[in-house]
Amino acid sequence: MPLSMNQRYVNAYDVVPLAWCDLPEAEDWYPPSEGPVANLDVKALLSEIDLLKKHNVYVQPSAQGTCSMNTDYSLYDHELVNETLDDFLGQVAVQHSNSVYLTLLGAPAALSGPVVTAAPSHRRRAGPVTRSSSPARASLTGPRCSSRRTSRAGSASGPRP
């Protein structure tokens, strides 16, 4: 499917856009069969964050349509599936990450920036900084649009990327 500049592309499991409109919905966000399930700590945190909006309402600018991708929750971090606050927040970060959106849109993965492995000491003459970089990996698939997210309770089985 060709991409349109006037269409909004969203990850169906990206919690971040809910922060100013419907954050309590995120309590049941990720499928229980894959996780992470929101425990009491997660629910308390979401409630506290939701109070910060103080009756302000956020509305997305208009677009011709919305293309919801990852509706089957096939793209997620398999290491962040436990019923803990850390895993829930980790999965939130993954689902909102540039690399997930690039993969969903079929774009090449962004190369990671240089990593500083040694820095000069201030007490001696500055020497060179050692850097290394490695390209990020992602499977390239085109956008899969759906009008809504599939049921969270029933998720498709099979290999995950």
Side-chain angles (χ1 to χ4, degrees):
M1 163 197 305
L3 298 177
S4 168
M5 294 300 290
N6 294 324
Q7 189 165 14
R8 185 179 304 116
Y9 296 90
V10 297
N11 177 358
Y13 287 93
D14 185 355
V15 174
V16 174
L18 296 179
W20 289 100
C21 63
D22 196 11
L23 195 55
E25 181 182 333
E27 290 181 4
D28 299 317
W29 200 252
Y30 300 117
S33 57
E34 281 90 6
V37 173
N39 63 16
L40 292 177
D41 291 337
V42 170
K43 291 176 182 180
L45 178 63
L46 293 175
S47 293
E48 288 294 319
I49 294 171
D50 194 51
L51 292 174
L52 295 174
K53 67 183 180 184
K54 298 181 181 177
H55 307 289
N56 291 307
V57 177
Y58 173 76
V59 178
Q60 285 280 338
S62 62
Q64 287 182 352
T66 298
C67 177
S68 187
M69 302 175 295
N70 195 27
T71 57
D72 60 357
Y73 198 54
S74 60
L75 189 58
Y76 69 98
D77 189 322
H78 298 264
E79 301 292 319
L80 300 170
V81 295
N82 297 309
E83 192 174 322
T84 65
L85 178 61
D86 287 345
D87 277 17
F88 191 90
L89 293 178
Q91 197 66 250
V92 167
V94 167
Q95 294 300 320
H96 189 65
S97 70
N98 291 339
S99 61
V100 165
Y101 274 93
L102 288 171
T103 300
L104 291 171
L105 292 169
L111 297 177
S112 59
V115 177
V116 176
T117 56
S121 169
H122 294 292
R123 295 186 185 143
R124 60 188 164 122
R125 190 173 148 187
V129 174
T130 306
R131 294 184 182 112
S132 64
S133 64
S134 59
R137 288 186 248 161
S139 61
L140 300 178
T141 59
R144 292 178 226 135
C145 299
S146 175
S147 59
R148 60 180 171 81
R149 181 176 29 235
T150 58
S151 169
R152 293 185 192 106
S155 177
S157 61
R160 305 281 188 220

